[in-house]
Amino acid sequence: MATASAEGPVKRHPLAVTAVLSVIGYVLVLGSFAGIVDVFPPIGEETVLLFSDAIAVINSLALTALLVGYVLIRRDDVWRHRAAMLTAFGLILAFLVLYLWKIGGGFEKSIVIREGQFLGAYAGIIEPIYLAMLAIHILLSAIAVPVVIYPVVLGLTHTPAELAETAHARVGRIAVASWSLSLFLGVVTYFLLNHVYSWVPR
């Protein structure tokens, strides 16, 4: 997944680099939720809604790129696999910026299932299912951070021949599985929250 084999600190210590980048990501997310990281300008409700829609589009594109990348490497198309995976990674970085801005400068939403809405009479069942999907999405998103970063770091610092001697493929398969499910559930919960049911600011 890389073009150069020159030695360097990142290539020699991919786990350490992964750990540092993961911690930075966790601090940014948790700090935004806690209101400690205050770097985003305030945004209104219309912008929050726009960001929510943009995030869903970005996640859908990232999921598509991820699955395409998986298919390509199964066909030994290394360079297109590399392009697809870096596209997915770039999209996730764009998602992260919008998501942190949405919660740091705006607000999060809580689902409200009203009578008369789709399966509204079963709100007592639908809402726990929605919350379970959301919880799995969030958990997998958190777990996937180092699992996604590690193969990317390896891929950017090793040649295809060198990657065969690393954990790139093994960790990459775990990353694809966890990341794909997280993205899919994120899109599903977005659709339920914004286009099937109602919401209130949280």
Side-chain angles (χ1 to χ4, degrees):
M1 197 173 141
T3 57
S5 60
E7 289 294 330
V10 176
K11 184 174 182 178
R12 290 195 302 270
H13 306 287
L15 280 174
V17 172
T18 298
V20 170
L21 293 176
S22 298
V23 168
I24 291 172
Y26 289 136
V27 167
L28 286 173
V29 172
L30 294 175
S32 294
F33 268 110
I36 299 171
V37 177
D38 189 16
V39 297
F40 297 103
I43 54 176
E45 181 176 309
E46 286 187 5
T47 306
V48 169
L49 297 179
L50 178 63
F51 279 13
S52 296
D53 294 340
I55 286 169
V57 171
I58 288 171
N59 283 347
S60 298
L61 292 173
L63 176 58
T64 301
L66 191 63
L67 296 177
V68 167
Y70 176 76
V71 171
L72 288 170
I73 199 60
R74 300 284 291 179
R75 297 176 179 174
D76 287 327
D77 193 341
V78 174
W79 302 112
R80 288 183 180 176
H81 162 77
R82 179 182 191 270
M85 290 310 193
L86 290 179
T87 297
F89 189 69
L91 287 167
I92 286 304
L93 293 180
F95 150 78
L96 184 61
V97 171
L98 289 182
Y99 180 69
L100 292 179
W101 195 350
K102 183 167 76 81
I103 62 176
F107 56 86
E108 282 287 87
K109 306 171 186 175
S110 292
I111 193 168
V112 176
I113 303 176
R114 306 187 191 282
E115 191 170 338
Q117 292 180 323
F118 179 68
L119 298 178
Y122 301 95
I125 298 173
I126 301 298
E127 187 170 348
I129 292 175
Y130 166 85
L131 293 175
M133 289 192 296
L134 183 61
I136 294 170
H137 161 66
I138 293 171
L139 179 61
L140 288 177
S141 296
I143 293 173
V145 171
V147 178
V148 167
I149 292 175
Y150 185 60
V152 170
V153 170
L154 288 175
L156 289 174
T157 56
H158 293 69
T159 65
E162 291 171 335
L163 284 177
E165 305 300 320
T166 71
H168 176 83
R170 184 174 68 254
V171 178
R173 284 190 291 270
I174 298 170
V176 168
S178 59
W179 196 4
S180 296
L181 182 55
S182 174
L183 289 169
F184 174 74
L185 291 176
V187 172
V188 170
T189 52
Y190 155 83
F191 186 75
L192 292 174
L193 179 65
N194 294 275
H195 298 289
V196 177
Y197 300 112
S198 306
W199 57 269
V200 293
R202 172 158 52 93

